[in-house]
Amino acid sequence: MIIVLDVGNTNTVIGGYEGNELRFSLRMCSDRTRTADEYVFYLRGLLQDRQVDLSKVEGGIISSVVPELRYLLRQAMERLTGQKFLVVTNDMNLGGMEIKMDIPRQLGADLVVDAVAALSLYQPPLVIFDLGTATTMSVIDADGNYIGGAIIPGLRLSMDALSARAAQLPFINLDEPPMVFIGKNTVDCMKSGAFYSTAAMLDGMAQRAEDTLGQPVTVVATGGLMGVVYPFCRRPIHYDENLLLTGLLRLYHLNHG
C-alpha cells in the first residue's frame, strides 16, 4: 500500500492506494500545535480504525501548504511505517509539465499536484479550480505547461468574515445548498449569495481564461465545498473530489526510487 497525504490549511486528507485503487480516505484537522509524537499516536488510531496494516505500507508522499506540518507529518508517518515518504516540491519529476511562472518555487504544492493529476486525466488546455480555505484557479496551456492562475478568498472564509463583520448576519452552514435563488429570509439570502455567486465566478473565470488563451478549455474542479457548488455552474465541469490524491499517487510513481 502507498499512503498519500494532502495537508491543507484547514484539513489534511489521507488516502491509501493498492495499485491504482483507492482503498480508503480520511480527513483530519491540520493542527499546527501538535507534536510529532502526538501525530504518531493520533494517526495510528485513525489508520487502525480503517483497518490499515502498517507493515504492508511500502512508502508514501506528502503535499503540504503548511510548512511546519510538512516535516512533522513526514516524521510521524515514517516512524509509523518504517518507510521513507517523499515531499512534493517543484523540483520533482512532474511528468513533463513545466511551471512557467515568474517565481516557480512560490507555486503551492497543492496546485502542482492538482495540475499533474488533471493532466493525467484530461487533454489540455485546462482550467483547474480547487475550493479550499482559498479558492484557486490554475491554467494549463495546450502544451501541458502551468502558466498561471488566480487566488480568491475561499467560500467558507468569505462567509465567516461576512458574519463576523456584519452584526445582524448569522454564521451559516454551507453543507446544504440554497433552496431558492431569491431568498425570502436572511439565511436563504446568504446561502443564495454564497453558492450562486461562487458558481457564477467559476463560470466567468473559466470564460475569461478561454478568452485569454483564444481556445476552449476543459474545466476540472476539486475541493471540500466544490461538491455542493458545481451543480449551480452553467458550464460543464469535471468534478473530482479525489483529484489531489490521484496526483499524489502519480507523483509518487514518477519519483520513487
Side-chain angles (χ1 to χ4, degrees):
M1 177 176 283
I2 305 301
I3 302 290
V4 301
L5 295 91
D6 166 44
V7 185
N9 287 295
T10 305
N11 292 311
T12 294
V13 180
I14 305 173
Y17 283 92
E18 291 182 352
N20 290 319
E21 184 174 352
L22 182 63
R23 290 296 188 181
F24 78 88
S25 66
L26 58 87
R27 186 179 293 264
M28 67 179 187
C29 290
S30 298
D31 190 344
R32 296 168 173 82
T33 66
R34 285 197 177 107
T35 66
D37 291 331
E38 289 174 312
Y39 269 116
V40 168
F41 176 81
Y42 189 60
L43 286 165
R44 181 182 285 114
L46 288 174
L47 294 171
Q48 286 178 347
D49 182 66
R50 299 302 173 93
Q51 299 180 331
V52 177
D53 185 348
L54 293 173
S55 68
K56 293 184 178 179
V57 175
E58 301 171 25
I61 185 168
I62 296 173
S63 164
S64 176
V65 297
V66 186
E68 56 266 46
L69 290 183
R70 183 180 307 143
Y71 298 104
L72 279 176
L73 284 170
R74 179 184 188 182
Q75 183 182 3
M77 290 304 302
E78 289 182 347
R79 285 171 56 184
L80 280 170
T81 65
Q83 302 294 333
K84 291 291 185 182
F85 273 62
L86 302 175
V87 174
V88 174
T89 70
N90 296 341
D91 297 325
M92 300 179 91
N93 178 357
L94 303 179
M97 181 183 77
E98 293 184 32
I99 300 173
K100 296 189 174 181
M101 300 277 287
D102 292 341
I103 309 175
R105 68 178 181 274
Q106 288 185 349
L107 184 63
D110 55 337
L111 304 185
V112 173
V113 177
D114 276 340
V116 169
L119 280 168
S120 73
L121 298 170
Y122 305 100
Q123 186 71 25
L126 302 169
V127 167
I128 309 162
F129 292 111
D130 192 336
L131 272 67
T133 304
T135 294
T136 59
M137 181 187 75
S138 300
V139 180
I140 312 299
D141 68 13
D143 295 324
N145 296 317
Y146 193 108
I147 60 170
I151 301 174
I152 306 125
L155 176 53
R156 178 76 267 175
L157 187 67
S158 298
M159 295 309 294
D160 287 350
L162 180 63
S163 299
R165 297 298 297 272
Q168 291 185 302
L169 297 183
F171 286 89
I172 62 172
N173 181 1
L174 292 177
D175 294 334
E176 299 176 4
M179 300 301 294
V180 293
F181 172 62
I182 300 176
K184 297 294 187 180
N185 57 69
T186 299
V187 170
D188 283 349
C189 287
M190 292 177 70
K191 285 188 174 183
S192 177
F195 284 89
Y196 282 101
S197 68
T198 300
M201 176 191 68
L202 300 182
D203 287 336
M205 294 291 279
Q207 182 60 56
R208 286 174 182 262
E210 285 186 337
D211 294 344
T212 301
L213 294 175
Q215 60 187 129
V217 300
T218 298
V219 182
V220 184
T222 190
L225 284 170
M226 191 63 207
V228 287
V229 170
Y230 89 93
F232 299 98
C233 296
R234 290 186 170 178
R235 66 177 298 144
I237 293 179
H238 299 278
Y239 168 60
D240 185 347
E241 63 179 337
N242 294 319
L243 187 69
L244 268 162
L245 302 185
T246 299
L248 284 168
L249 181 67
R250 175 156 174 76
L251 284 171
Y252 176 83
H253 288 310
L254 284 170
N255 293 274
H256 176 61

